[in-house]
Amino acid sequence: MAHLTAGKAVSLQSEPNRKLWNCASWSSNTIIAVLSVLGLIIVAVTKTIWTKAMFSGLDFHFPILACAISCVVTMVALVPFFLCGSPLRPVPRQSYGSFLTVAIFTCIDLACMNMGLDYLSVSVQQALNAATPAAVIFFELVLYGKMRAYYVYLPFIPLLAGSVITTLASGEHQSSPIGILIMVVAIFSGSLKAITTHKYLIKIKNEMGVVSFLFWLDAAMLVMLVPWAHIKGETQGLMNWKYMATPFPWIIVLSNGLIGGLRAYLVKLVLKFNTPLTKVVCDIIIKAMTIGISIIIFGTLVPALMGFGVILTLFGFGMYSVAALREKFLSQEELSTNGKKFQKMETVMIEQGSVYAESRLEKHFRSEDSDERPLLCASPRDA
């Protein structure tokens, strides 16, 4: 904000205070981004192992109903937030199409992941899902024409290699054609979900909070999951479940649903404060840790090669973290340079107040922009 004093533009906010404010804002966002990633890893590993134990130990072979129960439990858990003053914002009318797209992809992804976990062993299910990064990169390029720096893609070599080594070294190779087909569907829907959710959260971040988004997303998925489970015969199977009248198994099932809701909330935070590829990298680390911890919990011998795979996966994550940070730093540096350049030329226009200064500014930007447009966007990538 500025006003004119003796023909000069004077800023009402000092430069040191502006830098301090920007630094504090950047630091808070960075802390949230890091904590959301760590929280997602811990909760997701617990969720997968808990779900597999529920399927195998309790004979709760109702994967779609498990997703529906998770949606209901999450919505109930969010009610106190709204009662305590957090506003329940509706889905913007102009965003109905985008919201429905996100809901469909999320519903398919969650249901197929659960079905894959029910049909396949943990190792095979996690290994097949490791192909998601390639699908994300492919859809980012096809749908948005998005290209990243080459050094961002290099870490996926140790990431994918570590995930495959971890899976093969685990010694679990039980699979079925139906389970593999379901996981292929989950890979494509999961990658599209990551991309579309990220774009959607950026689009409406000032209109809907993460909590409101999660509430309406679960409500929309519930409408799709219940008929799907009924068609698949899971509702009838639940009526004949041997633990139907036993309280403790239901506590385990409902707790699993609550963990699922927490994981969904953390996923939205990760996608809001990080990139889709960061979320994908988290998934690969979760796979390696899930396989290792599940083998230990179920008393399976852990080969040395599997430990090497886990280390290689974590090394790849470290490489990607450095590459992503470097890419972000270079982007911010470019934005800062262009912003200072424009501010300086704008001040010249105000001081001179002449058409000549305006023509010089236009000529300056035309010499630097091949599209012959002034750089007025918030980010060089938005130009």
Side-chain angles (χ1 to χ4, degrees), residues 239-298:
M239 296 295 103
N240 300 324
W241 183 40
K242 62 182 180 180
Y243 295 114
M244 183 65 181
T246 308
F248 183 72
W250 275 109
I251 293 176
I252 296 178
V253 172
L254 295 176
S255 299
N256 181 70
L258 184 61
I259 297 175
L262 179 59
R263 182 183 65 176
Y265 177 77
L266 290 172
V267 167
K268 303 311 172 193
L269 283 183
V270 169
L271 290 174
K272 183 176 182 180
F273 291 95
N274 298 275
T275 64
L277 285 178
T278 301
K279 195 266 178 183
V280 170
V281 173
C282 289
D283 289 341
I284 297 178
I285 293 180
I286 290 168
K287 291 168 185 46
M289 293 182 63
T290 301
I291 294 171
I293 295 176
S294 65
I295 291 177
I296 294 175
I297 288 178
F298 295 112

Side-chain angles (χ1 to χ4, degrees), residues 155 157-167 280-289 306-320:
I157 297 176
L159 276 170
L160 291 174
S163 182
V164 172
I165 292 174
T166 302
T167 301
V280 170
V281 173
C282 289
D283 289 341
I284 297 178
I285 293 180
I286 290 168
K287 291 168 185 46
M289 293 182 63
M306 181 178 174
F308 171 74
V310 173
I311 295 175
L312 186 61
T313 304
L314 295 177
F315 174 71
F317 176 74
M319 288 180 58
Y320 172 76

Side-chain angles (χ1 to χ4, degrees), residues 328-345:
K328 182 177 181 180
F329 175 77
L330 292 177
S331 177
Q332 289 179 341
E333 188 177 58
E334 183 181 358
L335 173 62
S336 177
T337 301
N338 290 332
K340 290 180 180 179
K341 194 179 298 183
F342 176 76
Q343 185 179 17
K344 181 177 180 180
M345 296 302 296

Side-chain angles (χ1 to χ4, degrees), residues 121-157:
S121 67
V122 174
S123 299
V124 175
Q125 191 258 3
Q126 296 292 302
L128 290 174
N129 196 26
T132 304
V136 170
I137 294 175
F138 172 76
F139 284 121
E140 278 190 339
L141 179 62
V142 172
L143 297 179
Y144 304 111
K146 188 173 184 178
M147 290 291 297
R148 297 182 179 272
Y150 71 93
Y151 52 80
V152 176
Y153 297 96
L154 291 178
F156 284 95
I157 297 176

Side-chain angles (χ1 to χ4, degrees), residues 28-348:
S28 62
N29 288 339
T30 302
I31 293 174
I32 295 175
V34 173
L35 291 179
S36 64
V37 168
L38 294 177
L40 177 61
I41 292 174
I42 296 173
V43 171
V45 171
T46 303
K47 166 67 174 176
T48 302
I49 296 176
W50 195 306
T51 304
K52 183 62 178 178
M54 185 178 69
F55 289 156
S56 59
L58 297 178
D59 289 330
F60 192 85
H61 299 289
F62 315 115
I64 300 179
L65 276 179
C67 294
I69 292 173
S70 179
C71 290
V72 173
V73 173
T74 301
M75 293 174 65
V76 172
L78 292 177
V79 170
F81 288 93
F82 303 131
L83 295 178
C84 291
S86 179
L88 177 58
R89 298 184 178 92
V91 179
R93 186 181 301 272
Q94 68 275 14
S95 301
Y96 282 169
S98 299
F99 179 80
L100 181 61
T101 301
V102 171
I104 292 174
F105 285 138
T106 305
C107 178
I108 296 174
D109 178 49
L110 291 180
C112 289
M113 284 295 174
N114 260 11
M115 286 190 288
L117 189 60
D118 189 24
Y119 284 115
L120 305 171
S121 67
V122 174
S123 299
V124 175
Q125 191 258 3
Q126 296 292 302
L128 290 174
N129 196 26
T132 304
V136 170
I137 294 175
F138 172 76
F139 284 121
E140 278 190 339
L141 179 62
V142 172
L143 297 179
Y144 304 111
K146 188 173 184 178
M147 290 291 297
R148 297 182 179 272
Y150 71 93
Y151 52 80
V152 176
Y153 297 96
L154 291 178
F156 284 95
I157 297 176
L159 276 170
L160 291 174
S163 182
V164 172
I165 292 174
T166 302
T167 301
L168 295 179
S170 66
E172 298 184 11
H173 304 290
Q174 301 175 3
S175 62
S176 68
I178 296 178
I180 293 175
L181 179 61
I182 289 174
M183 285 305 302
V184 171
V185 176
I187 289 171
F188 284 102
S189 61
S191 58
L192 288 172
K193 180 192 72 171
I195 296 173
T196 55
T197 303
H198 181 68
K199 296 291 182 181
Y200 184 68
L201 281 176
I202 292 178
K203 180 180 178 181
I204 66 165
K205 65 180 180 179
N206 294 326
E207 301 179 40
M208 286 182 69
V210 177
V211 176
S212 296
F213 176 80
L214 182 58
F215 180 87
W216 293 118
L217 180 63
D218 282 336
M221 288 194 299
L222 188 61
V223 174
M224 294 181 279
L225 288 170
V226 172
W228 187 358
H230 182 73
I231 294 173
K232 190 173 179 290
E234 292 189 9
T235 53
Q236 182 62 34
L238 181 62
M239 296 295 103
N240 300 324
W241 183 40
K242 62 182 180 180
Y243 295 114
M244 183 65 181
T246 308
F248 183 72
W250 275 109
I251 293 176
I252 296 178
V253 172
L254 295 176
S255 299
N256 181 70
L258 184 61
I259 297 175
L262 179 59
R263 182 183 65 176
Y265 177 77
L266 290 172
V267 167
K268 303 311 172 193
L269 283 183
V270 169
L271 290 174
K272 183 176 182 180
F273 291 95
N274 298 275
T275 64
L277 285 178
T278 301
K279 195 266 178 183
V280 170
V281 173
C282 289
D283 289 341
I284 297 178
I285 293 180
I286 290 168
K287 291 168 185 46
M289 293 182 63
T290 301
I291 294 171
I293 295 176
S294 65
I295 291 177
I296 294 175
I297 288 178
F298 295 112
T300 306
L301 179 64
V302 180
L305 185 59
M306 181 178 174
F308 171 74
V310 173
I311 295 175
L312 186 61
T313 304
L314 295 177
F315 174 71
F317 176 74
M319 288 180 58
Y320 172 76
S321 299
V322 174
L325 184 61
R326 181 173 185 267
E327 184 184 43
K328 182 177 181 180
F329 175 77
L330 292 177
S331 177
Q332 289 179 341
E333 188 177 58
E334 183 181 358
L335 173 62
S336 177
T337 301
N338 290 332
K340 290 180 180 179
K341 194 179 298 183
F342 176 76
Q343 185 179 17
K344 181 177 180 180
M345 296 302 296
E346 186 183 40
T347 302
V348 171

